[in-house]
Amino acid sequence: MTFGAGLRAARAQHTLGVYGGYGTASARFYPAQETRMVFGRYNFGLSWRYYSLPRFVGAVGADLELLQRGFSYGYTYTTTTNEDGEEEREYSFYTRRFNSIMLPLVWQPHVYMARNHVRLYLEAAVTFSYNFSGDYAYEDTGATGHYGMRSERDNRFGYGLAGGGGFALIFGRYELGVRARYYFGYSDILRNMNRYYDNATDGAENPFTRTPLKSPIDNLAFSVTLAYRFNKEGFTEWTYKPRRREKMKKSFQFSQKGDMVNIDAMRNH
């Protein structure tokens, strides 16, 4: 009976959910290049969470998601001179879009409000990704095409960090909420110029005359979340009460005969 109750309690601590939404993507090139954000990047996926007792603070879990990523790079420009004689540049942008299968390992510290009907949380995550399938477009010419990833030029695997927060409304065994998450890439989407120098052997898919040394990708994603709790009784942390530790009381018990002898000996000494 105790083992079965333990299994039911553990099961109640888990949720399985789905989410989806839109956001933006951008790149941080080094040496610095003219860039702008790419809007309308979707994200959707599955999430699993384990809700720990209060002493562990919050939830831990993992997501499996499809995240659209990309960047816009000002590959060429025209110049004009303003009234003060200063040069002004008008850039034409090359935009590349691609998809990533993302695996964030998540920690969510949280608090409950409104008698456990509202959950507010922050989150931090380590992310691992696999990049695939993309396309490109030139703003000035309108040229578009499929971007074929090549192992000597492109990195398919990536890693980074993510952070954000959100809230969820709890009704019955369901959580419905909204979340914002920022993905901060540490790996490069393009191999650096030590591995792949320029676009001499490429077609229109590569606008870089010299491959950047660094090219991490960032994303900002807004999502609507829906999660289902496996047990209707609720989370253990709602009713968890830590055991009160009793203070140990020191007591001394003296035997009548032996202790009197010891006391007399001390006085005579």
Side-chain angles (χ1 to χ4, degrees), residues 3-16 48-53 58-60 110 112 119 170 172-175 227-240:
F3 179 73
L7 285 179
R8 286 193 298 272
R11 186 176 62 194
Q13 300 301 99
H14 296 267
T15 64
L16 186 65
W48 162 78
R49 295 290 183 270
Y50 172 74
Y51 292 76
S52 66
L53 295 178
V60 295
H110 62 215
Y112 289 99
R119 185 171 76 94
I170 301 172
R173 298 168 70 171
Y174 295 91
E175 282 191 15
Y228 175 79
R229 188 176 66 249
F230 285 90
N231 193 295
K232 65 181 180 180
E233 282 79 9
F235 298 116
T236 303
E237 65 178 292
W238 292 354
T239 56
Y240 174 78

Side-chain angles (χ1 to χ4, degrees), residues 21-26 37-44 66-71 95-99 135 218-222:
Y22 283 90
T24 65
S26 59
M37 282 196 256
V38 181
F39 292 90
R41 302 294 82 203
Y42 67 70
N43 68 91
F44 62 87
L66 178 61
L67 179 67
Q68 280 193 324
R69 315 186 79 182
F71 61 87
T95 300
R96 181 183 165 197
R97 295 168 289 265
F98 62 96
N99 298 308
D135 58 34
D218 298 340
N219 276 76
L220 175 61
F222 299 92

